[in-house]
Amino acid sequence: MKTLALQCLHLLLPVAAHAWGDEGHEIIALIAWNYLDPSVREKVTLLLSSDSSHLTADDGIAAEATWADRLRDTDRSTDKAHYDATREWHYVDIELGDPDIDAACFAHPRLPSGIYASAGPAHICIVDKINEFRRELADPRLPQSERLAALQFLLHLIGDLHQPLHAGDDHDRGGNDKRVEALGMRAGTLHHYWDAVFVERLGEHSATVALALIADISPGQQREWRSGRPAAWAMQSFALAHKVAYGELPRPDAAGRYLLGETYVRDATATVRLQLERAGVRLAQVLNEALH
């Protein structure tokens, strides 16, 4: 059964993989697919088949893991309705110097009575949105359209929560204000490097990378990673942001750029690999619990 599930990962991947960015989210979704109960796979497939938004390719779980970014960016250059309504759902800015998750989560506002999570307040953090969508996905009394949205957001947000710079912040918009360079890599922001560049170092094709990471995950790691809840996962990501993403940065040069050395690139790539694995296992656990 496991061998068949691994073989099927190749069939679930969009034809053109993009660089987390798209590649990271695809990898996480494909890892999760491997650990879904067979009955849950059927329910996930049925729900995703009802997506008529045309925001992603009709290629199953890997493509749908990018849906929340597509929704957010549909009007980013125009009236910004979706952008302003959902962009803060993708992260929690826990400050390095004052790691207060409650403050970073806007004191955990409650979802107003009679309002679905997909229409929830704009100023709410990723931890609370995951909890809201998790409850909705598990409730068969809700309209299918809302449970579909809950699934689509969970496919994406659980991945985002495991990107260290979606949890840690140095008053720099999660690394978006820091310019970095590394040998053989195009200059960009620190956030982009963690979103995409270090993911790309694992391999070009999402399905191939997912297969390699699944083979690397031990039964003991599966058991360990399935425990805990989103707030604990956020603090784990924050710790990696503090220790590696920011903690191993060299001093900036005279132009304010950070020139990343071989050790930083190696440690960051290993951290990204670990977080993709954790996110895939935990996403599967959330879906198995909600759709059992």
Side-chain angles (χ1 to χ4, degrees):
M1 180 63 71
K2 183 173 180 179
T3 302
L4 178 60
L6 295 179
Q7 292 171 344
C8 288
L9 293 186
H10 293 284
L11 302 178
L12 294 167
L13 184 67
V15 175
H18 308 285
W20 357 334
D22 285 357
E23 185 180 0
H25 285 292
E26 290 165 358
I27 291 167
I28 290 166
L30 292 171
I31 292 172
W33 181 263
N34 181 70
Y35 295 110
L36 290 182
D37 297 336
S39 64
V40 173
R41 282 200 202 115
E42 292 179 7
K43 292 174 183 178
V44 166
T45 300
L46 183 61
L47 268 176
L48 294 180
S49 69
S50 67
D51 178 16
S52 60
S53 68
H54 305 296
L55 293 178
T56 66
D58 295 328
D59 292 306
I61 196 171
E64 290 284 357
T66 69
W67 177 88
D69 272 351
R70 299 289 186 273
L71 176 71
R72 180 198 61 197
D73 294 337
T74 50
D75 53 18
R76 191 168 183 168
S77 61
T78 54
D79 64 4
K80 294 189 175 182
H82 288 303
Y83 180 74
D84 290 338
T86 67
R87 69 181 182 84
E88 291 183 353
W89 300 0
H90 291 250
Y91 56 87
V92 51
D93 277 344
I94 305 171
E95 294 296 339
L96 294 188
D98 183 21
D100 185 342
I101 192 172
D102 296 327
C105 282
F106 311 101
H108 306 288
R110 289 185 176 275
L111 189 66
S113 178
I115 299 296
Y116 291 134
S118 62
H123 301 299
I124 188 169
C125 78
I126 188 171
V127 172
D128 293 324
K129 291 313 295 185
I130 289 173
N131 287 329
E132 289 175 1
F133 286 125
R134 183 181 191 159
R135 287 192 293 270
E136 287 193 339
L137 184 61
D139 189 347
R141 298 168 298 178
L142 295 184
Q144 179 171 282
S145 59
E146 183 62 19
R147 295 183 78 209
L148 168 63
L151 172 59
Q152 290 170 309
F153 274 111
L154 287 171
L155 290 176
H156 189 88
L157 297 183
I158 290 174
D160 274 349
L161 186 60
H162 286 78
Q163 206 275 55
L165 292 181
H166 278 250
D169 184 61
D170 189 27
H171 299 287
D172 60 356
R173 299 187 304 128
N176 276 298
D177 294 335
K178 284 183 169 64
R179 300 291 299 178
V180 301
E181 293 183 30
L183 184 64
M185 304 176 197
R186 183 175 298 179
T189 69
L190 180 64
H191 190 100
H192 174 68
Y193 264 54
W194 281 83
D195 254 357
V197 176
F198 298 134
V199 177
E200 291 169 354
R201 285 176 51 79
L202 298 175
E204 261 183 59
H205 302 293
S206 300
T208 303
V209 175
L211 287 167
L213 298 194
I214 290 165
D216 186 52
I217 299 170
S218 71
Q221 286 173 319
Q222 292 176 48
R223 289 191 296 272
E224 176 188 350
W225 296 343
R226 285 170 178 160
S227 64
R229 286 296 182 257
W233 304 340
M235 293 309 299
Q236 187 177 59
S237 291
F238 168 80
L240 291 171
H242 191 285
K243 180 181 179 181
V244 183
Y246 289 116
E248 294 189 14
L249 277 178
R251 291 183 179 275
D253 65 13
R257 296 169 302 178
Y258 296 83
L259 305 179
L260 306 181
E262 182 180 339
T263 299
Y264 185 99
V265 172
R266 182 195 65 225
D267 291 351
T269 303
T271 300
V272 162
R273 179 188 182 100
L274 174 64
Q275 288 298 91
L276 293 173
E277 292 174 349
R278 284 172 168 165
V281 170
R282 287 167 174 166
L283 173 58
Q285 181 71 6
V286 168
L287 300 185
N288 281 334
E289 288 176 351
L291 295 172
H292 64 278

